[in-house]
CSV table of all heavy atoms in Angstrom, one decimal:
chain,number,residue,atom,x,y,z
A,1073,ASN,N,-45.6,64.3,68.8
A,1073,ASN,CA,-44.9,65.3,69.6
A,1073,ASN,C,-45.8,66.3,70.3
A,1073,ASN,O,-46.8,66.7,69.7
A,1073,ASN,CB,-43.9,66.1,68.7
A,1073,ASN,CG,-42.7,65.2,68.2
A,1073,ASN,OD1,-42.6,64.0,68.6
A,1073,ASN,ND2,-41.8,65.8,67.5
A,1074,GLY,N,-45.5,66.7,71.5
A,1074,GLY,CA,-46.3,67.6,72.2
A,1074,GLY,C,-46.1,67.5,73.7
A,1074,GLY,O,-45.2,66.8,74.2
A,1075,VAL,N,-47.0,68.2,74.4
A,1075,VAL,CA,-47.0,68.2,75.9
A,1075,VAL,C,-48.2,67.4,76.4
A,1075,VAL,O,-49.3,67.7,76.0
A,1075,VAL,CB,-47.0,69.6,76.4
A,1075,VAL,CG1,-47.0,69.7,77.9
A,1075,VAL,CG2,-45.7,70.4,75.9
A,1076,TYR,N,-47.9,66.6,77.4
A,1076,TYR,CA,-49.0,65.7,78.0
A,1076,TYR,C,-49.1,65.8,79.5
A,1076,TYR,O,-48.0,65.9,80.1
A,1076,TYR,CB,-48.7,64.2,77.6
A,1076,TYR,CG,-48.7,64.0,76.1
A,1076,TYR,CD1,-47.6,64.2,75.3
A,1076,TYR,CD2,-49.9,63.4,75.5
A,1076,TYR,CE1,-47.7,64.0,73.9
A,1076,TYR,CE2,-49.9,63.2,74.2
A,1076,TYR,CZ,-48.8,63.5,73.4
A,1076,TYR,OH,-48.9,63.2,72.0
A,1077,ALA,N,-50.3,65.7,80.0
A,1077,ALA,CA,-50.4,65.5,81.4
A,1077,ALA,C,-50.2,64.0,81.7
A,1077,ALA,O,-50.7,63.1,81.0
A,1077,ALA,CB,-51.9,65.9,81.9
A,1078,ILE,N,-49.4,63.7,82.7
A,1078,ILE,CA,-49.0,62.3,82.9
A,1078,ILE,C,-49.0,61.9,84.4
A,1078,ILE,O,-48.9,62.8,85.2
A,1078,ILE,CB,-47.5,62.0,82.3
A,1078,ILE,CG1,-46.5,63.0,82.9
A,1078,ILE,CG2,-47.5,62.1,80.8
A,1078,ILE,CD1,-45.4,62.4,83.7
A,1079,ARG,N,-49.0,60.6,84.6
A,1079,ARG,CA,-48.7,60.1,85.9
A,1079,ARG,C,-47.5,59.2,85.7
A,1079,ARG,O,-47.4,58.4,84.7
A,1079,ARG,CB,-49.8,59.3,86.5
A,1079,ARG,CG,-50.9,60.2,87.0
A,1079,ARG,CD,-51.8,59.6,88.0
A,1079,ARG,NE,-52.6,60.7,88.7
A,1079,ARG,CZ,-53.8,61.1,88.2
A,1079,ARG,NH1,-54.3,60.6,87.1
A,1079,ARG,NH2,-54.4,62.1,88.8
A,1080,ALA,N,-46.5,59.2,86.6
A,1080,ALA,CA,-45.3,58.5,86.5
A,1080,ALA,C,-45.1,57.6,87.7
A,1080,ALA,O,-45.4,58.0,88.8
A,1080,ALA,CB,-44.1,59.4,86.3
A,1081,LYS,N,-44.7,56.3,87.4
A,1081,LYS,CA,-44.3,55.4,88.5
A,1081,LYS,C,-42.8,55.3,88.6
A,1081,LYS,O,-42.1,54.9,87.7
A,1081,LYS,CB,-44.9,54.0,88.2
A,1081,LYS,CG,-44.7,53.1,89.4
A,1081,LYS,CD,-45.4,51.7,89.1
A,1081,LYS,CE,-45.3,50.8,90.3
A,1081,LYS,NZ,-45.9,49.5,90.1
A,1082,LEU,N,-42.3,55.8,89.7
A,1082,LEU,CA,-40.9,55.8,90.0
A,1082,LEU,C,-40.6,54.9,91.1
A,1082,LEU,O,-41.0,55.2,92.3
A,1082,LEU,CB,-40.4,57.2,90.3
A,1082,LEU,CG,-38.9,57.4,90.6
A,1082,LEU,CD1,-38.0,57.1,89.4
A,1082,LEU,CD2,-38.6,58.8,91.2
A,1083,GLU,N,-40.1,53.7,90.8
A,1083,GLU,CA,-40.0,52.6,91.8
A,1083,GLU,C,-41.4,52.4,92.4
A,1083,GLU,O,-42.3,52.0,91.6
A,1083,GLU,CB,-39.0,53.0,92.9
A,1083,GLU,CG,-37.6,53.1,92.3
A,1083,GLU,CD,-36.5,53.6,93.2
A,1083,GLU,OE1,-36.7,54.5,94.1
A,1083,GLU,OE2,-35.4,53.0,93.1
A,1084,GLU,N,-41.6,52.6,93.7
A,1084,GLU,CA,-43.0,52.4,94.2
A,1084,GLU,C,-43.8,53.7,94.4
A,1084,GLU,O,-44.8,53.6,95.1
A,1084,GLU,CB,-42.8,51.6,95.6
A,1084,GLU,CG,-42.2,50.2,95.4
A,1084,GLU,CD,-42.9,49.4,94.4
A,1084,GLU,OE1,-44.2,49.3,94.5
A,1084,GLU,OE2,-42.2,48.7,93.6
A,1085,ARG,N,-43.3,54.8,93.9
A,1085,ARG,CA,-43.9,56.1,94.1
A,1085,ARG,C,-44.7,56.5,92.9
A,1085,ARG,O,-44.2,56.2,91.7
A,1085,ARG,CB,-42.9,57.1,94.5
A,1085,ARG,CG,-42.4,57.0,95.9
A,1085,ARG,CD,-41.4,58.1,96.3
A,1085,ARG,NE,-40.2,58.0,95.5
A,1085,ARG,CZ,-39.2,58.9,95.5
A,1085,ARG,NH1,-39.3,60.0,96.3
A,1085,ARG,NH2,-38.1,58.7,94.8
A,1086,TRP,N,-45.8,57.2,93.1
A,1086,TRP,CA,-46.5,57.8,91.9
A,1086,TRP,C,-46.3,59.3,91.9
A,1086,TRP,O,-46.5,59.9,93.0
A,1086,TRP,CB,-48.0,57.4,92.0
A,1086,TRP,CG,-48.2,56.0,91.7
A,1086,TRP,CD1,-48.3,54.9,92.5
A,1086,TRP,CD2,-48.5,55.5,90.3
A,1086,TRP,NE1,-48.5,53.7,91.8
A,1086,TRP,CE2,-48.6,54.1,90.4
A,1086,TRP,CE3,-48.5,56.0,89.1
A,1086,TRP,CZ2,-48.9,53.2,89.3
A,1086,TRP,CZ3,-48.8,55.2,88.0
A,1086,TRP,CH2,-48.9,53.9,88.1
A,1087,LEU,N,-46.0,59.8,90.8
A,1087,LEU,CA,-45.8,61.3,90.6
A,1087,LEU,C,-46.7,61.8,89.5
A,1087,LEU,O,-46.8,61.2,88.5
A,1087,LEU,CB,-44.3,61.6,90.3
A,1087,LEU,CG,-43.3,61.0,91.3
A,1087,LEU,CD1,-41.9,61.2,90.7
A,1087,LEU,CD2,-43.4,61.7,92.7
A,1088,ASP,N,-47.3,63.0,89.8
A,1088,ASP,CA,-48.0,63.7,88.7
A,1088,ASP,C,-47.0,64.6,88.0
A,1088,ASP,O,-46.0,65.1,88.6
A,1088,ASP,CB,-49.1,64.6,89.3
A,1088,ASP,CG,-50.3,63.7,89.8
A,1088,ASP,OD1,-50.3,62.5,89.5
A,1088,ASP,OD2,-51.2,64.2,90.4
A,1089,GLY,N,-47.3,64.9,86.7
A,1089,GLY,CA,-46.4,65.8,86.0
A,1089,GLY,C,-46.8,66.1,84.6
A,1089,GLY,O,-48.0,65.8,84.2
A,1090,VAL,N,-45.9,66.8,83.9
A,1090,VAL,CA,-46.1,67.0,82.5
A,1090,VAL,C,-44.9,66.4,81.7
A,1090,VAL,O,-43.8,66.3,82.3
A,1090,VAL,CB,-46.2,68.5,82.1
A,1090,VAL,CG1,-47.5,69.1,82.7
A,1090,VAL,CG2,-45.0,69.3,82.7
A,1091,LEU,N,-45.2,66.0,80.5
A,1091,LEU,CA,-44.2,65.3,79.7
A,1091,LEU,C,-44.1,66.0,78.3
A,1091,LEU,O,-45.2,66.2,77.7
A,1091,LEU,CB,-44.5,63.9,79.5
A,1091,LEU,CG,-43.4,63.0,78.8
A,1091,LEU,CD1,-42.3,62.6,79.8
A,1091,LEU,CD2,-44.0,61.8,78.1
A,1092,ASN,N,-42.9,66.3,77.9
A,1092,ASN,CA,-42.7,66.8,76.5
A,1092,ASN,C,-42.1,65.8,75.7
A,1092,ASN,O,-41.0,65.2,76.0
A,1092,ASN,CB,-41.9,68.1,76.5
A,1092,ASN,CG,-41.8,68.7,75.1
A,1092,ASN,OD1,-42.7,69.3,74.6
A,1092,ASN,ND2,-40.6,68.5,74.5
A,1093,ILE,N,-42.7,65.5,74.5
A,1093,ILE,CA,-42.0,64.7,73.5
A,1093,ILE,C,-41.8,65.5,72.3
A,1093,ILE,O,-42.7,66.2,71.8
A,1093,ILE,CB,-43.0,63.5,73.1
A,1093,ILE,CG1,-43.3,62.6,74.3
A,1093,ILE,CG2,-42.3,62.7,72.0
A,1093,ILE,CD1,-44.2,61.5,74.0
A,1094,GLY,N,-40.5,65.6,71.9
A,1094,GLY,CA,-40.2,66.5,70.7
A,1094,GLY,C,-38.8,66.9,70.6
A,1094,GLY,O,-37.9,66.3,71.3
Side-chain angles (χ1 to χ4, degrees):
N1073 290 0
V1075 178
Y1076 295 82
I1078 56 115
R1079 286 200 166 87
K1081 187 177 183 183
L1082 178 68
E1083 296 177 320
E1084 297 305 314
R1085 289 181 291 175
W1086 286 91
L1087 305 170
D1088 288 350
V1090 291
L1091 186 82
N1092 183 76
I1093 299 177

